[in-house]
């Protein structure tokens, strides 16, 4: 129950023991088609350019940024969490100039600030993090942000690593041009093949670049040869990871994407109600709370690292601490994919309650359990 990887569904693990076929085998090409179609369903998009990028979430992130940002382009990135910083590094390596829209760690971007940054800098590309794993903040007002960008003729890249398959995400309806994600969070799949989708407008920019992108491996104009109509060799696909993501995405479709969002909300609401009744606060305001990653404030006098070690040692349960500006101040408790179930929340409450009591914290574990159960019964 940390910030990912989440527990992998047994069906996904089983799919990973399927014998390998070649990456151009007709049966594998059918699997590729199925993965792309299921990925469109999960992203809520009709984008033709929807593929699993070989590598972890950072690979799909770099495929997005490294192809969209050309030398001399300006990219607007957020400062309200760890992953905006990674966007900046990638945009700079692509030869872009980076400008910022500021918000404190633990808060979302304000559309007024985004508007001001656009008026001042006229960026070509705007990146934002829909679900910031470092702070537990969900960015609201996404359609407002994308329409500001489009009024300025810019393209929007959304980091959906911790939202895809877990919290509401509407790539097409919200006007997102490019979204990248990772499989190891709300899709409950091992890292290795990472979802990416681009609309035609974004792909037009990619295909009309003056200079090749700096990465050969992640050059989408070349990857298009394999994942597009030709199905021609570019690099050997990670076959086992493609089996895995197909099975993970089939599980999404079987559950139904909206039901899945609702399950995450219901289970994480119980977790939230439980820790709050125990006497702990959550870092983000309720309006920006991210069900898939709960940033719980560490109570005064408690050493976060010790509590995390206690939970791991005594219960074999993984949770994480804060990063950067929030190091030592929060616990990061994931509620993602297959791990988002009542049994795990109850287990977490027992383990965390005991770890905090062991340090003499003033927590009411019984009240926490009562609130959690009440919430689960709703
Ligand atoms: C919001 C966000 N973006 C990007 C990444 C990078 O993904 P990966 O670590 O799979 O490369 C992560 C990983 O945790 C993330 O949480």
């Amino acid at each position: 129950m940390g910030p990912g990887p989440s527990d992998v569904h047994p069906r996904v693990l089983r799919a990973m023991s399927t014998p390998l076929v070649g990456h151009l085998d007709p049966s594998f090409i059918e699997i590729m088609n199925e993965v792309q179609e299921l990925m469109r369903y999960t992203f809520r998009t009709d984008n033709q350019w929807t593929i699993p990028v070989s590598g972890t979430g950072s690979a799909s992130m770099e495929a997005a940024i490294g192809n969209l940002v050309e030398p001399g382009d300006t990219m607007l990135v957020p400062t309200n969490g760890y992953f905006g910083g990674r966007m900046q590094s990638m945009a700079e390596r692509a030869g872009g100039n980076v400008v910022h829209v500021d918000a404190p760690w633990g808060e979302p971007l304000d559309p007024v600030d985004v508007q001001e940054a656009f008026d001042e800098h006229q960026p070509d590309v705007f990146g934002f993090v829909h679900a910031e794993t470092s702070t537990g903040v969900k960015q609201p007002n996404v359609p407002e942000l994308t329409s500001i960008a489009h009024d300025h003729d810019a393209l929007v890249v959304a980091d959906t690593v911790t939202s895809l398959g877990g919290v509401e995400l509407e790539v097409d309806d919200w006007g997102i041009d490019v979204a990248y994600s990772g499989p190891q969070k709300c899709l409950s799949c091992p890292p290795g093949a990472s979802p990416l989708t681009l609309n035609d407008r974004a792909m037009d920019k990619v295909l009309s670049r003056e200079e090749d992108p700096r990465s050969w491996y992640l050059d989408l104009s070349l990857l298009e040869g394999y994942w597009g109509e030709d199905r021609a060799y570019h690099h050997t696909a990670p076959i086992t990871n493609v089996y895995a993501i197909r099975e993970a995405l089939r599980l999404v479709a079987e559950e139904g994407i909206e039901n899945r969002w609702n399950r995450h909300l219901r289970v994480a609401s119980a977790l939230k109600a439980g820790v709050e009744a125990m006497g702990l606060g959550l870092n983000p305001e309720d309006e920006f709370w991210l069900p898939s990653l709960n940033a719980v404030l560490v109570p005064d006098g408690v050493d976060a690292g010790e509590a995390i070690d206690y939970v791991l040692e005594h219960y074999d349960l993984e949770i994480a601490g804060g990063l950067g500006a929030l190091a030592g101040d929060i616990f990061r408790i994931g509620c993602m994919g297959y791990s988002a179930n009542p049994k795990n929340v109850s287990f977490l409450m027992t383990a965390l309650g005991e770890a905090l009591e062991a340090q003499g914290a003033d927590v009411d574990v019984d009240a926490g359990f009562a609130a959690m159960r009440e919430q689960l019964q709703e």
Side-chain angles (χ1 to χ4, degrees), residues 56-58 61 83 86 129 131 133 159 161-162 184-185:
T56 70
S58 302
M61 180 176 188
F83 291 99
R86 188 169 297 184
V129 182
T133 326
D159 181 319
V161 171
T162 295
Q184 74 273 22
K185 312 272 186 183

Side-chain angles (χ1 to χ4, degrees), residues 76 108-116 118 126 128 130 139-152 154 156 170-177 287-288:
L76 178 64
L109 299 180
D110 185 331
V112 172
D113 296 332
V114 173
Q115 177 75 56
E116 274 173 17
F118 264 96
F126 166 50
F128 77 93
H130 180 224
Q139 177 66 49
N141 315 314
V142 174
E144 214 177 317
L145 303 187
T146 58
S147 75
I148 296 168
H150 294 153
D151 287 347
H152 290 77
V156 178
E170 305 275 2
V171 166
D172 286 358
D173 282 359
W174 291 354
I176 294 169
D177 299 296
E287 216 186 318
F288 320 126

Side-chain angles (χ1 to χ4, degrees), residues 146-204:
T146 58
S147 75
I148 296 168
H150 294 153
D151 287 347
H152 290 77
D153 231 11
L155 288 162
V156 178
V157 184
D159 181 319
T160 65
V161 171
T162 295
S163 55
L164 182 69
V167 297
E168 186 184 9
L169 169 67
E170 305 275 2
V171 166
D172 286 358
D173 282 359
W174 291 354
I176 294 169
D177 299 296
V178 181
Y180 61 82
S181 192
Q184 74 273 22
K185 312 272 186 183
C186 302
L187 299 178
S188 275
C189 178
S194 297
L196 173 68
T197 187
L198 295 90
N199 64 16
D200 287 346
R201 196 167 147 251
M203 207 57 193
D204 284 349

Side-chain angles (χ1 to χ4, degrees), residues 274-275 277-279 349 357 361-369:
V275 292
M278 225 198 252
M349 292 284 294
E357 280 175 341
D362 182 19
V363 286
D364 187 342
V365 177
D366 291 342
F369 262 97

Side-chain angles (χ1 to χ4, degrees), residues 309-325:
D309 289 349
Y310 185 101
V311 166
L312 186 60
E313 200 181 309
H314 293 262
Y315 286 89
D316 197 22
L317 179 66
E318 183 188 294
I319 60 170
L323 293 175

Side-chain angles (χ1 to χ4, degrees), residues 65 77 83-93 98 100:
I65 296 171
V77 304
F83 291 99
R86 188 169 297 184
M87 280 185 174
Q88 162 154 0
S89 304
M90 289 180 177
E92 284 171 350
R93 281 166 191 240
V98 169
H100 298 107

